[in-house]
Amino acid sequence: MTAVEQGARVAFLGLGHMGLPMARNLKSAGYDVVGFDVSPAAMRSANEAGIETASSGPDAAAGARVVITMFQTGAQVLSAYSGGDGVDGLVDVAPPGTLFIDCSTISVDEAREAHRLAEVAGHRALDAPVSGGVVGAENATLAFMVGGGEEDFETAKPLLEAMGRRVVHCGGDGLGQAAKVCNNMILAVSQIAVAEAFVLGERLGLTHQALFDVASNASGQCWALTTNCPVPGPVPTSPANRDYQPGFAGSLMAKDLGLAERAIESTGVDAKLGLMAREIYKEFAEGPGANQDFSGIINTIRALSGDR
């Protein structure tokens, strides 16, 4: 099937902090976007941004060539796809052969079930979680990790490139989610390590700038340092310079590491650091860290560190 061309009707469901700028970028790229969100406030924001809205998810999907979902949980994705309790499922109302793209971060098993629901109903499906946070969504610089068939990936690629800078086909059904869970486990472990290093440097008398200048140009270089630096100053655009406003909230990192924990348990991988990061961020998200950027873990490390 040919690539999704400009002017094609795209239903975008889930117009939150990530979804709305993604939908706006699609509209700016020339796609005919209709959106829906269960939140009245999100619907108002979409209208103010010039996004046409529908009265329900199924109403948005009816007549669309592509249906994109950006939800918080896998249960929400599967419920929207299948419907129930008198509500039509998205796969029931979409025109035959509609391409379903789920950009939520959910488990691999849930992603594969979403593929199955779409395909049984005569549609095509991709799982395409993203990395890059709200800033990436706003600036159309997201990274998409895509699972599904090669032909469906090529069909969706121009549309995804309107929202992101890097689009990678990771393999078959569910493997976009597999890449996402692995990536975020790396990110969590590295963010904790960077935070611990800065607290240790403080105790040893290093300035933040001196440690940054060394590590950012040496073997300690990583995204958690050079983009999401957990202390104010060295990276002016990092959340640390705006009192740890997310960014990527601690509650979301805790959720993603919960998915990693499930994957670790199901595969039997000896992932000690991944599981430790899961416990650290779970505790962080049970307090004020839920609504802070996940780099705010540095404050927890400081608080738990002994006196000099």
Side-chain angles (χ1 to χ4, degrees):
M1 193 169 185
T2 59
V4 181
E5 69 281 356
Q6 291 180 338
R9 185 75 159 173
V10 178
F12 201 112
L13 311 183
L15 300 170
H17 295 303
M18 294 288 292
L20 179 55
M22 291 168 69
R24 191 168 57 235
N25 287 331
L26 283 177
K27 181 177 174 62
S28 296
Y31 293 96
D32 180 17
V33 179
V34 57
F36 177 75
D37 195 288
V38 295
S39 165
M43 292 283 276
R44 287 194 296 272
S45 295
N47 290 144
E48 291 168 1
I51 302 294
E52 177 189 347
T53 54
S55 59
S56 69
D59 283 347
R65 180 176 174 194
V66 179
V67 175
I68 299 175
T69 45
M70 183 55 134
F71 295 158
Q72 294 180 340
T73 69
Q76 291 171 343
V77 174
L78 297 180
S79 176
Y81 275 35
S82 60
D85 295 328
V87 178
D88 289 329
L90 299 176
V91 300
D92 298 319
V93 299
T98 295
L99 178 58
F100 281 76
I101 305 174
D102 180 45
C103 295
S104 317
T105 296
I106 62 178
S107 75
V108 174
D109 288 343
E110 289 166 331
R112 288 174 174 161
E113 176 62 10
H115 277 263
R116 188 192 69 80
L117 289 170
E119 290 161 4
V120 166
H123 305 301
R124 299 169 299 144
L126 295 170
D127 51 287
V130 303
S131 179
V134 175
V135 173
E138 291 173 343
N139 296 330
T141 57
L142 293 169
F144 284 87
M145 296 149 267
V146 187
E150 179 72 35
E151 182 178 348
D152 295 336
F153 171 73
E154 293 298 332
T155 297
K157 192 173 180 181
L159 184 145
L160 298 178
E161 288 176 337
M163 299 182 285
R165 178 179 291 165
R166 181 143 177 84
V167 180
V168 180
H169 186 216
C170 299
D173 297 1
L175 293 183
Q177 295 294 351
K180 177 65 184 288
V181 76
C182 293
N183 178 79
N184 277 22
M185 187 172 74
I186 295 170
L187 176 59
V189 171
S190 61
Q191 192 71 67
I192 293 167
V194 168
E196 290 179 347
F198 270 100
V199 174
L200 179 59
E202 291 167 359
R203 296 298 177 91
L204 294 172
L206 276 172
T207 65
H208 293 159
Q209 191 64 52
L211 177 55
F212 178 85
D213 288 345
V214 170
S216 64
N217 291 285
S219 54
Q221 190 280 131
C222 60
W223 187 93
L225 173 67
T226 57
T227 298
N228 216 49
C229 185
V231 296
V235 180
T237 55
S238 78
N241 295 280
R242 52 179 191 273
D243 198 27
Y244 300 97
Q245 296 175 34
F248 187 60
S251 59
L252 295 177
M253 177 56 84
K255 171 212 160 188
D256 287 2
L257 289 171
L259 298 176
E261 181 179 37
R262 288 166 59 182
I264 291 166
E265 290 172 348
S266 69
T267 57
V269 172
D270 183 26
K272 292 183 178 68
L273 292 180
L275 292 175
M276 188 174 293
R278 159 65 170 159
E279 290 305 312
I280 290 170
Y281 273 109
K282 181 179 178 183
E283 292 181 10
F284 182 66
E286 287 171 350
N291 298 313
Q292 294 177 4
D293 186 79
F294 76 107
S295 61
I297 195 69
I298 191 171
N299 294 319
T300 298
I301 293 167
R302 286 195 186 104
L304 293 175
S305 298
D307 294 333
R308 297 190 184 197

